Amino acid sequence: KVYNDYFFDEPVFDLHDGGYVPLEKADDVPDKPLNIPAALKPDKVDGNDVYYTITAQEGETQILPGAKTKTWGYNAALLGTTIVLKKGVHYHVHLVNKLTEVTTFHWHGLNVTGPIVDGGPHAPVYPGGSRDIDFTLDQPAQTDWIHPHPCPNTARQVWNGLAAAVVVTDDEEAKLPFPRNYGVDDIPVILQDRNYHDNQLDYKADYDMDGTEGKYALVNGTINGVFDVTTQKVRLRILNGSDRREWRLHFDDEHEFTQIASDGGTLPAPVKFTKLMLTCAERAEVIVDFGDKKPGDVVTLMTDNIPIMKFKIGEYAADNSVLPDKLTTIDAPEVTPGLPVTRTVMSGMDDQVRLDGKLFDMQRIDRKQKIGDTVLWDVVNTNDMDGGMIHPFHMHGCQFLVLSRNGKAPYPNEHGWKDTVGVNAGETVRIAVQFTKFGVYMYHCHILEHEDTGMMAQIEAYDPNEKHTYHLLSMDEM
Ligand code: C2O
Ligand code: CU
Ligand code: CU
């Protein structure tokens, strides 16, 4: 079966929002090779210990014709080098801030302890300063990302360019017939939109409380990028890295593609699509089989009616590999008996956005959940303003399973691990949540301006056998 549906509720797509900035065809920008971020090289490898340095820095990038654009990135002028991690390895990461303002380094999707290693707002790295963290990677192969998380400047810092792909590998995924030659048949596709003013970013000028958008579509920081296809099958690690925009992806020829992974890794079974919508921070790994194309053909990836990048087909060897019907096993969650359902409510738009009726307070623990327990959460998006909007709900410190949407089955590509789920207006999404590591973790709307306004809360995952105290910073210490 091939699905031809975006599944989300069309009446609340971002394009119906008053502040929506339509993407425009960038006819003024010539095609150029798609930027493929380099893979970050370790500083040192010592048995099972691997050392990395990640530096948030300023740079300049040729984005539009003419003057270069001042941009920010991790070990790069824009976005960042791709960080490749392997399950079971102990990582030591030296985080360096060469910016002129405080930032944090958040591992979105990684199950590492909060609030420090995880890099949320309690883990500032001051200008000129650094911080050292370490963790053992103990989750399956997946595509994650790092981005800043300082309160309340996340949205602007991401807008300026900070975002890098994190590729997690493991031995189980390595056995599956997936393309995995990074940069050749396995590439990140980081989707963002921006505006430029005399070729420069100006976050304030473009700011919108419901999420800042720009008229240019960028993939990996490239406008009108072209990727040279040299293999029959290409794996795209698609990340919605936008502050606000939803991406409704399809090819110009309605070419089909197969989703093999969601946020938290391999799906139980591949799902075939011609259309795929991603809300902010969601990831989807898809395989596109260009076996029906010949050298010289061009296939264009679109969002709505806007071309965003091209795949130029070259010579390739036939690849007859077949995906198995079953990719991995994800057991139905065993919900801990006797616990109430946790209900969390996202409401409002603009300055009225709230999580459980409140604005974020860095020093308030909003909830507690025992580590090891599997708890049902009902994530509610009230439809109380102007028809409402989709809020992408994200949790730190765990990957959850989506059980239902308004009591009905989740979408066909939602049977794998997720850390971000788009919740339609008027909808309740039921998820099963388990924390395995004690700590304090954020959960929030991933429209970055909503997060910065305060549509965010924090939960303590506690260990009943050990009391931990946390030094929670206040906003003034940021
Ligand atoms: Cu990707 Cu708390 O964020
Ligand atoms: Cu996160
Ligand atoms: Cu929101």
Side-chain angles (χ1 to χ4, degrees), residues 180-428:
R180 55 174 66 77
N181 188 357
Y182 182 79
V184 177
D185 60 11
D186 178 356
I187 60 168
V189 173
I190 304 173
L191 302 168
Q192 294 178 318
D193 55 310
R194 294 291 182 269
N195 261 350
Y196 302 95
H197 306 262
D198 292 330
N199 284 16
Q200 300 308 320
L201 294 164
D202 184 344
Y203 180 70
K204 262 201 191 133
D206 293 310
Y207 178 77
D208 185 300
M209 272 213 138
D210 272 330
T212 304
E213 294 174 311
K215 66 176 186 178
Y216 287 101
L218 294 92
V219 176
N220 301 344
T222 312
I223 297 171
N224 291 332
V226 181
F227 181 70
D228 284 321
V229 174
T230 58
T231 57
Q232 184 181 324
K233 295 179 186 174
V234 179
R235 177 189 198 166
L236 309 178
R237 297 175 183 267
I238 308 171
L239 157 67
N240 181 345
S242 303
D243 282 32
R244 150 67 157 135
R245 187 175 299 279
E246 295 150 10
W247 296 79
R248 283 170 286 275
L249 302 171
H250 60 100
F251 289 103
D252 58 340
D253 63 349
E254 301 308 315
H255 201 279
E256 101 185 27
F257 49 90
T258 306
Q259 188 174 346
I260 52 165
S262 56
D263 307 338
T266 310
L267 291 173
V271 186
K272 288 185 183 163
F273 286 101
T274 57
K275 290 187 164 75
L276 174 66
M277 178 165 138
L278 290 180
T279 67
C280 294
E282 285 188 293
R283 285 89 70 209
E285 290 180 33
V286 308
I287 295 176
V288 194
D289 183 344
F290 290 111
D292 56 333
K293 302 289 172 193
K294 52 182 190 324
D297 286 352
V298 172
V299 182
T300 304
L301 182 63
M302 316 275 293
T303 184
D304 295 330
N305 59 344
I306 299 295
I308 56 179
M309 69 165 286
K310 292 182 181 135
F311 292 87
K312 207 172 146 220
I313 313 299
E315 299 284 347
Y316 60 81
D319 174 352
N320 299 316
S321 63
V322 182
L323 285 179
D325 295 335
K326 188 170 171 296
L327 300 174
T328 190
T329 305
I330 296 179
D331 294 327
E334 282 184 43
V335 177
T336 308
L339 297 175
V341 174
T342 298
R343 184 182 154 89
T344 189
V345 179
M346 297 185 285
S347 61
M349 293 175 73
D350 291 310
D351 57 344
Q352 292 306 308
V353 290
R354 296 291 183 272
L355 191 58
D356 297 324
K358 287 178 278 202
L359 289 173
F360 182 56
D361 179 339
M362 282 179 71
Q363 296 188 305
R364 184 184 69 222
I365 303 271
D366 297 278
R367 294 175 194 280
K368 295 189 178 201
Q369 182 171 318
K370 191 160 81 180
I371 55 172
D373 277 356
T374 300
V375 179
L376 297 175
W377 283 51
D378 276 345
V379 184
V380 184
N381 176 356
T382 59
N383 183 12
D384 56 357
M385 287 178 89
D386 309 333
M389 61 192 292
I390 295 171
H391 295 291
F393 179 78
H394 168 54
M395 298 186 80
H396 292 203
C398 64
Q399 292 284 339
F400 51 76
L401 290 171
V402 181
L403 303 181
S404 64
R405 289 181 173 272
N406 273 352
K408 300 203 186 75
Y411 302 152
N413 57 342
E414 291 182 321
H415 296 289
W417 297 104
K418 297 276 293 166
D419 56 53
T420 308
V421 62
V423 185
N424 291 289
E427 192 174 43
T428 297

Side-chain angles (χ1 to χ4, degrees), residues 107-110 139-140 142-146 164-168 239 263-264 283 399 419:
W107 302 88
H108 181 125
L110 282 199
Q139 64 199 101
Q142 58 195 265
T143 304
D144 294 320
W145 58 308
I146 56 166
V166 174
V167 172
V168 180
L239 157 67
D263 307 338
R283 285 89 70 209
Q399 292 284 339
D419 56 53

Side-chain angles (χ1 to χ4, degrees), residues 115-179:
I116 303 298
V117 179
D118 155 89
H122 297 292
V125 183
Y126 297 99
S130 67
R131 179 187 285 279
D132 290 285
I133 56 163
D134 75 290
F135 56 86
T136 300
L137 205 287
D138 64 353
Q139 64 199 101
Q142 58 195 265
T143 304
D144 294 320
W145 58 308
I146 56 166
H147 66 75
H149 214 303
C151 216
N153 293 312
T154 298
R156 177 173 51 81
Q157 292 194 356
V158 172
W159 185 263
N160 285 350
L162 291 174
V166 174
V167 172
V168 180
T169 65
D170 71 16
D171 294 336
E172 190 196 337
E173 183 270 346
K175 292 191 192 109
L176 289 164
F178 295 166

